[in-house]
């Protein structure tokens, strides 16, 4: 195993342990609001500090992009490495005791995702990927499904609950996708949704307005598991734009065809590569 993956796994497990220690006393945590429907607990912050401590101890020159503490540039020639961290993805679930949340850690090297780790501390499921070496769940190889049509397909999604500018466009997509598929799940952790595509538990996923830390690790997992990830124009702007469509290879095109009629000019604009 790559030493960087090893350290990322250690950091994810350590943050997961910290989160698990407080699940039965969530009501004692200090919770603050970052914006509309956007809450953060002291655990998000502690878990993030723990991850950063472990990563920087091993790689003091690397850069960091973390949800709660922001950007921190790397130093010397190693600044081409950036760790992208979501210490607790699914905070709303966590705060309600709804058992679906995870730690997500991705590593970007010279503009490409190199490592992805997503850890679900309740189920003790560890999803890992290294560029070029495949994707694993608890050290066993995982693959996306062979699903090639809507009939029988199980999709995942996230509702635009913080920023509702694109709600109508989203609901149009939802309506198109719900009619012919076997079902749509909104489990509340984008990182786990993406990991589940990689593991073949979901056939496809889409969401508007994600952030890098929600996606980085999950995208690499899907690519290494044989799946396709694009933005809503079928391009590669997703990490920047936050609009993500991920699926098994043949289902991806069918989902894209179903989503595109609902794109507004402002959604298209977000995905257009800047000139
Ligand atoms: C959120 C979750 C959720 C998604 C939101 C994210 P957080 O992350 O991934 O599934 O719908 O867009 O912000 O805030 O719990 O880390
Ligand atoms: Ca998140
Ligand atoms: Ca988070």
């Amino acid at each position: 195993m790559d030493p960087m993956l090893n350290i990322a796994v250690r950091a994810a497990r350590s943050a997961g342990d910290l989160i698990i220690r407080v699940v039965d006393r969530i009501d004692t945590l200090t919770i603050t609001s970052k914006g509309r429907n956007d809450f953060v607990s002291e655990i998000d912050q502690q878990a993030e500090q723990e991850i950063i401590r472990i990563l920087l101890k091993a790689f003091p020159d690397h850069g960091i992009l973390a949800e709660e503490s922001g950007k921190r540039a790397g130093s010397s020639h190693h600044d081409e490495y950036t760790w992208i961290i979501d210490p607790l993805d699914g905070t709303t679930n966590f705060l309600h005791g709804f058992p679906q949340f995870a730690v997500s850690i991705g590593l970007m090297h010279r503009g490409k995702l190199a490592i992805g780790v997503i850890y679900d501390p309740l189920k003790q499921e560890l999803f890992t990927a290294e560029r070029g070496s495949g994707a694993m769940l608890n050290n066993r190889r995982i693959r996306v499904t062979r699903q090639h049509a809507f009939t029988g397909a199980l999709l995942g999604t996230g509702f635009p609950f913080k920023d509702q500018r694109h709600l109508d466009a989203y609901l149009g997509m939802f309506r198109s996708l719900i009619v012919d598929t076997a079902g749509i799940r909104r489990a509340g952790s984008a990182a786990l949704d993406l990991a589940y595509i990689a593991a073949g538990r979901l056939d496809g996923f889409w969401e508007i307005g994600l952030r890098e830390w929600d996606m980085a690790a999950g995208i690499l997992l899907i690519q290494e598991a044989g799946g396709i990830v694009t933005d809503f124009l079928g391009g590669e702007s997703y990490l920047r734009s936050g609009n993500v469509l991920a699926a098994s290879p043949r289902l991806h095109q069918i989902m894209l065809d179903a989503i595109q009629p609902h794109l507004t000019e402002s959604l298209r604009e977000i995905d257009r590569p800047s000139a």
Side-chain angles (χ1 to χ4, degrees):
M1 199 199 269
D2 184 301
M4 293 195 195
L5 176 58
N6 211 354
I7 300 288
V9 166
R10 188 183 307 163
R13 283 191 187 280
S14 184
D17 290 349
L18 213 139
I19 293 165
I20 286 306
R21 259 181 265 140
V22 299
V23 277
D24 49 7
R25 53 177 185 85
I26 293 163
D27 49 344
T28 67
L29 297 179
T30 308
I31 296 155
T32 41
S33 171
K34 292 194 283 185
R36 186 191 157 85
N37 286 345
D38 195 1
F39 298 96
V40 61
S41 75
E42 57 190 301
I43 287 304
D44 299 58
Q45 279 145 352
Q46 284 171 23
E48 182 166 304
Q49 287 314 310
E50 174 69 358
I51 294 166
I52 294 175
R53 186 185 66 77
I54 292 173
L55 294 177
L56 288 186
K57 191 170 163 214
F59 312 111
D61 299 337
H62 288 190
I64 301 278
L65 172 63
E67 178 174 13
E68 311 304 340
S69 58
K71 238 188 177 133
R72 168 180 176 147
S75 53
S76 79
H77 58 286
H78 280 123
D79 64 356
E80 58 214 22
Y81 288 97
T82 303
W83 294 94
I84 305 179
I85 303 162
D86 191 335
L88 175 48
D89 184 65
T91 294
T92 305
N93 281 347
F94 169 76
L95 292 177
H96 288 259
F98 188 100
Q100 180 81 351
F101 45 81
V103 179
S104 177
I105 302 176
L107 176 64
M108 189 73 106
H109 180 222
R110 295 189 179 157
K112 282 199 166 148
L113 291 165
I115 278 172
V117 174
I118 295 175
Y119 180 53
D120 175 340
L122 284 174
K123 302 184 195 71
Q124 297 189 9
E125 290 190 320
L126 178 72
F127 300 87
T128 54
E130 267 176 82
R131 173 165 297 278
S133 304
M136 318 272 244
L137 164 52
N138 291 345
N139 292 321
R140 300 176 86 129
R141 193 69 184 259
I142 47 175
R143 298 278 308 164
V144 298
T145 65
R146 294 173 191 274
Q147 188 70 33
H148 53 77
F150 278 152
T151 312
L154 185 61
L155 306 183
T157 188
F159 302 143
F161 65 105
K162 292 177 194 163
D163 175 356
Q164 286 153 8
R165 271 177 303 171
H166 305 296
L167 188 58
D168 286 341
Y170 176 80
L171 291 173
M173 297 172 184
F174 190 87
R175 177 181 283 274
S176 293
L177 291 170
I178 204 164
V179 278
D180 298 325
T181 55
I184 301 184
R185 300 288 178 265
R186 195 295 188 246
S189 161
L192 285 179
D193 292 334
L194 296 171
Y196 285 12
I197 297 273
R201 294 173 177 176
L202 289 172
D203 300 300
F205 170 83
W206 88 104
E207 185 162 347
I208 295 174
L210 286 176
R211 302 298 303 265
E212 294 101 306
W213 42 78
D214 301 315
M215 301 180 264
I219 285 166
L220 185 64
L221 271 155
I222 293 173
Q223 291 169 339
E224 288 297 322
I228 307 284
V229 184
T230 66
D231 56 40
F232 295 163
L233 298 180
E236 292 181 356
S237 297
Y238 43 86
L239 267 181
R240 175 186 55 76
S241 76
N243 296 336
V244 185
L245 172 57
S248 52
R250 287 172 70 190
L251 190 65
H252 184 277
Q253 186 60 47
I254 301 174
M255 283 184 76
L256 194 60
D257 292 343
I259 276 177
Q260 285 191 330
H262 303 284
L263 293 180
T264 55
E265 186 46 36
S266 70
L267 271 173
R268 288 178 180 279
E269 189 56 39
I270 298 172
D271 280 347
R272 241 169 237 139
S274 35

